[in-house]
């Protein structure tokens, strides 16, 4: 696909504003300054969000060669940017969407498939691409670009060579679909399903369904599942008015043109027998999960509507491949970070992967291991010239190209340092060793046919089959949830102590930094040093700084909590040794926790000590609430507020500079909005754990999931005993599976003998017998499963709270008890 090109005057016509260079050409729309690739043909939309302001990045982009900007009308360009075109508008986001709407109308006759729903949008989009790419030159949304910003960027890729566009549309609240529909104007509309995702933005499921259905208003054809009564009821007016052709489908014999009569599963595939227009058909798909079957049937309905014959449909659906929507981040050998992109292997998906890599790399070198790419609408020469230019703009230090096409066009990569090429994955494995990689960030991106899992195995530091999966999208969602509850200007502290509540501090910190969090807080100074070494630049508070290496604390700009006078004297003494002046500290007040902090009676001596030196300076004063989550003890909480106010007022009166105040923790942010002061501290809520059970935190998403695999299955008669001490006694003939997780991994011995259950292939399976050091047994008698199947210990289907209740503890302990030997895998959709 060729990039869309327009003159700057066309942008001006759509958005309004003033320009200097009327001959400027625009081919690239940019909203994230970190994604810059071709500055001379880029126009940057300076978007303002809760977390950031795009206008702050204009001088840097100007220095890199960008000369076209869409800005808010209240923005005044700095003098050094005088040679740029500035288009001033009321809202840069509205301008971006207006330009996308204008661009879409340039291709009025183009068929566009618009996809919405709670789940499955990206899978259906990518499968439709796989199924139709031989018939159409297709533009589709990169990854999950389905938002108010992502949709216009997706539509911009449409050009004169495009035969079909497939665009996702995702919403999280009312009225958002109005904007998306105006831009997309789909001719075929798909609703995949309706679930509980993003419910917080809607008053009811009915309202959510009505909002999502707005995308169907201009459609000539509507595809949906007739088995969902809410969807069917919502779109009934459209169907009954004959405005659009309805291609609904059913697996339960509901009224629908496409009837799926049976879905016969084997171990690795499903055969679908269907009837459409009084003709029977059959397809075999290489998937067995219900969600995959439903997504495949949706694609089948589209193919039938487009008129593909049964044999072609069967052939293509049998060749469908899984859609890996995740970018996984794992610990690599020799202090490397390995990023695995299992999404599609094409140019369209390469840019987001490289952007993610460069943001994660910091100042470390970057290596890209890349297979042949799908040519799509490019010729081979054009494709690999573009890939070469893209890699250079992303400061890739080393390329390892795998595949015949990479080798054929290797001449285009001569300007890249240390570029090497291999005919296939086996040649790579024969020639490359772990020692060839050291302290760098490695992006692995390849077509599934290349078997890059072998390369991942080579470069992965830990091979333990039990993994903690950390959803960075969920973390960002939870941060934005709490951000939405605080007043503009109130700062945020993200708590990443105890290695990010067991999730791993660096990736958590990096994500919070990208989200616009103001401060981080760690428990001990070593955690802060590690974050600094990993290129985390935001302010870091150390909550327990006693006995630290003060030189390292000053060197790495780690701001200590100050909770007693002896500590203050040590800080001042050590600071003088190193010539430190004005180093920020955070004064802890003991308002009722009675753990650490100054009392009101101690403040005069503290103030005298602080005013008699210039080494340290109070940056903030704070306290910790004891029972913020317990409404029955609000009287005590309000007494803590009063005590803190009197102490912080006394401290502030003694200094000329302003001292920030912060009190609220996760529960307090929700329950006491009038006590936000200057800053709030977000702790366990960041990780999706609710502290309140009145519905106020139901929008939180779990960040961590603990998974393992089945390594053995055996059948035993009733009466057989299982495990140490023969404590597991089978009351029936049973199938017992062994799972490779034990108390050395953090799965407590108290969880044995049926006290908790694990999720296997859609069912809960109780533990049997005593938990061992490295393994535990579960009863899978009622669950079809096999060796190698995944087991969820906690996550989406087994809330971590269930384990904490079984143990008689709190979720904090369960999360932080997961052993370091358990591999952490970080991912973004």
């Amino acid at each position: 696909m060729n990039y869309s090109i327009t003159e700057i005057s066309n942008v001006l016509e759509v958005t309004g504003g003033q320009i200097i260079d009327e001959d400027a050409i625009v081919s690239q729309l940019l909203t994230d300054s970190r994604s810059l690739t071709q500055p001379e043909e880029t126009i940057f939309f300076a978007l303002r969000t809760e977390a950031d302001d795009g206008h702050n990045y204009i001088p840097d982009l100007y220095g890199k060669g960008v000369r076209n900007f869409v800005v808010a009308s209240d923005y005044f360009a700095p003098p050094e940017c005088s040679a740029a075109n500035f288009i001033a508008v009321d809202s840069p986001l509205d301008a971006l969407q207006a330009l996308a709407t204008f661009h879409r109308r340039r291709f009025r006759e183009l068929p566009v498939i618009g996809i919405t729903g709670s789940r499955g949008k990206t899978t259906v989009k990518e499968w439709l691409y796989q199924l139709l790419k031989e018939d159409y030159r297709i533009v589709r949304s990169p990854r999950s670009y389905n938002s108010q910003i992502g949709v216009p960027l997706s539509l911009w890729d449409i050009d004169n060579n495009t035969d079909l566009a497939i665009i996702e549309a995702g919403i999280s609240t009312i009225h958002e679909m109005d904007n998306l529909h105006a831009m997309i104007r789909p001719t075929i509309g798909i609703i995949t399903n309706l679930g509980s995702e993003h419910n917080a933005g809607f008053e009811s499921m009915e309202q959510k369904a009505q909002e999502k259905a707005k995308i169907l208003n201009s459609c000539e054809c509507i595809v949906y599942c007739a088995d969902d009564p809410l969807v069917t009821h919502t779109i009934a007016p459209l169907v009954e008015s004959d405005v659009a052709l309805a291609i609904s489908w059913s697996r339960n014999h509901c009224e629908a043109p496409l009837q799926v009569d049976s879905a016969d599963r084997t171990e690795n595939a499903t055969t679908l027998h269907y009837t459409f227009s009084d003709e029977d058909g059959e397809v075999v798909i290489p998937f067995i999960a219900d969600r995959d079957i439903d997504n495949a049937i949706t694609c089948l309905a589209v193919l039938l509507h487009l008129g593909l014959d049964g044999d072609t449909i069967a052939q293509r659906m049998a060749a469908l491949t899984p859609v890996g929507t995740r970018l996984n981040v794992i610990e690599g050998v020799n202090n490397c970070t390995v990023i695995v992109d299992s999404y599609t292997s094409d140019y369209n998906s390469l840019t987001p992967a490289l952007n993610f890599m460069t943001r994660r790399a910091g100042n470390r070198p970057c290596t890209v291991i890349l297979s042949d790419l799908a040519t799509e609408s490019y010729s081979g020469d054009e494709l690999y010239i573009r890939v070469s230019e893209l890699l250079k703009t992303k400061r890739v230090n080393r390329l390892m190209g795998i595949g015949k096409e990479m080798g054929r066009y290797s001449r285009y990569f001569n300007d890249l340092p240390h570029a090497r090429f291999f005919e296939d994955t086996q040649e790579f494995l024969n020639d490359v060793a772990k020692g060839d990689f050291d302290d760098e960030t490695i992006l692995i991106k390849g077509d599934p046919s290349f078997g890059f899992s072998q390369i991942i195995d080579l470069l992965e530091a830990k091979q333990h089959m039990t993994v903690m999966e950390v959803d960075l999208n969920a973390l960002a969602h939870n941060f934005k949830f709490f951000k939405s509850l605080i007043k503009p200007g109130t700062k945020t502290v993200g708590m990443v102590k105890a290695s990010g509540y067991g999730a791993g501090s660096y990736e958590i910190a990096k994500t919070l930094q990208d989200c616009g969090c103001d401060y981080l807080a760690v428990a001990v100074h070593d955690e802060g040093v590690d974050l600094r070494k990993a290129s985390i630049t935001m302010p870091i508070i150390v909550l327990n700084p006693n006995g630290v290496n003060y030189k390292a604390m000053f060197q790495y700009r780690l701001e200590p909590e100050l909770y007693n006078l002896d500590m203050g004297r040590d800080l001042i003494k050590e600071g003088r040794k190193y010539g430190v002046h004005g180093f920020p500290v955070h004064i802890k007040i003991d308002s009722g926790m009675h753990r650490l902090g100054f009392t009101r009676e101690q403040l005069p001596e503290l103030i005298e000590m602080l005013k008699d030196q210039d080494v340290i300076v109070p940056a903030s004063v704070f306290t910790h609430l004891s029972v913020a989550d317990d409404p029955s003890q609000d009287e005590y909480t309000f007494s803590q507020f009063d005590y803190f106010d009197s102490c912080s007022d006394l401290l502030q009166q003694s200094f000329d500079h302003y001292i920030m105040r912060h009190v609220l923790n996760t529960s307090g942010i929700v329950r006491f909005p009038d006590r936000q002061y200057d800053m709030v501290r977000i702790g366990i809520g960041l990780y999706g754990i609710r502290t309140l059970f009145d519905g106020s935190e139901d929008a939180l998403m779990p960040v961590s999931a603990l998974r393992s695999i089945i390594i053995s299955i055996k059948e035993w008669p009733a009466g057989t005993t299982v495990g140490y001490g023969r404590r597991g006694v089978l009351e029936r003939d049973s199938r017992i599976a062994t799972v490779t997780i034990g108390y050395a991994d953090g799965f407590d011995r108290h969880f044995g003998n049926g006290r908790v259950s694990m999720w296997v292939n859609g069912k809960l399976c109780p533990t049997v017998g005593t938990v061992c050091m490295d393994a535990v047994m579960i009863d899978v008698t009622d669950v079809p499963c096999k060796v190698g199947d995944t087991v969820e210990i906690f996550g989406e289907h087994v809330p971590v709270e269930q384990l904490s209740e079984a143990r008689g503890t709190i979720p904090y302990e369960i999360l932080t008890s997961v052993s370091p030997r358990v591999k952490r895998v970080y991912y973004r959709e």
Side-chain angles (χ1 to χ4, degrees), residues 539-678:
I540 298 176
I541 301 174
V542 181
L543 299 175
N544 297 299
N546 257 353
V548 305
N549 179 339
Y550 287 107
K551 181 179 179 180
M553 176 172 286
F554 296 135
Q555 176 186 351
Y556 290 104
R557 308 179 317 282
L558 304 176
E559 304 175 12
E561 169 188 313
L562 183 58
Y563 54 80
N564 66 41
L565 292 168
D566 289 340
M567 181 192 306
R569 296 185 185 105
D570 287 344
L571 273 169
I572 294 167
K573 176 182 175 183
E574 295 297 319
R576 283 173 176 156
K577 288 182 183 179
Y578 302 112
V580 173
H581 299 282
F583 197 81
V585 298
H586 302 268
I587 309 299
K588 178 70 172 287
I589 301 297
D590 185 355
S591 65
M593 177 71 81
H594 301 151
R595 181 174 61 182
L596 295 172
F598 293 95
T599 63
R600 187 163 40 213
E601 292 72 24
Q602 293 173 311
L603 287 181
E605 190 174 358
L606 169 66
I607 292 167
E608 181 181 357
M609 181 187 72
L610 291 174
K611 292 181 72 66
D612 194 33
Q613 52 80 53
D614 63 354
V615 175
I616 60 176
V617 60
S620 80
V621 56
F622 71 103
T623 194
H624 199 103
L625 300 177
S626 304
V627 284
D629 59 340
D630 187 352
S632 69
Q633 300 195 60
D634 279 355
E635 183 177 352
Y636 190 82
T637 300
F638 282 113
S639 73
Q640 285 193 265
F641 287 136
D642 293 341
Y643 190 92
F644 174 75
D645 287 343
S646 66
C647 291
S648 59
D649 288 345
L650 178 59
L651 187 68
Q652 181 63 77
Q653 290 165 10
S654 304
F655 292 89
D656 295 331
H657 73 279
Y658 186 74
I659 302 173
M660 293 187 298
R661 299 186 296 171
H662 50 107
V663 174
L664 299 183
N665 54 12
T666 295
S667 302
I669 294 169
V670 177
R671 297 199 59 234
F672 304 104
D674 58 335
R675 296 287 186 157
Q676 292 174 6
Y677 297 96
D678 302 295

Side-chain angles (χ1 to χ4, degrees), residues 11 79 113 192 228 323 330 338 421-422 440 559 661 695 745 762 767:
V11 181
I113 300 175
T192 57
D228 187 327
V323 177
I330 57 180
V338 177
F421 297 90
F422 309 86
E440 57 192 291
E559 304 175 12
R661 299 186 296 171
D745 302 298
T767 56

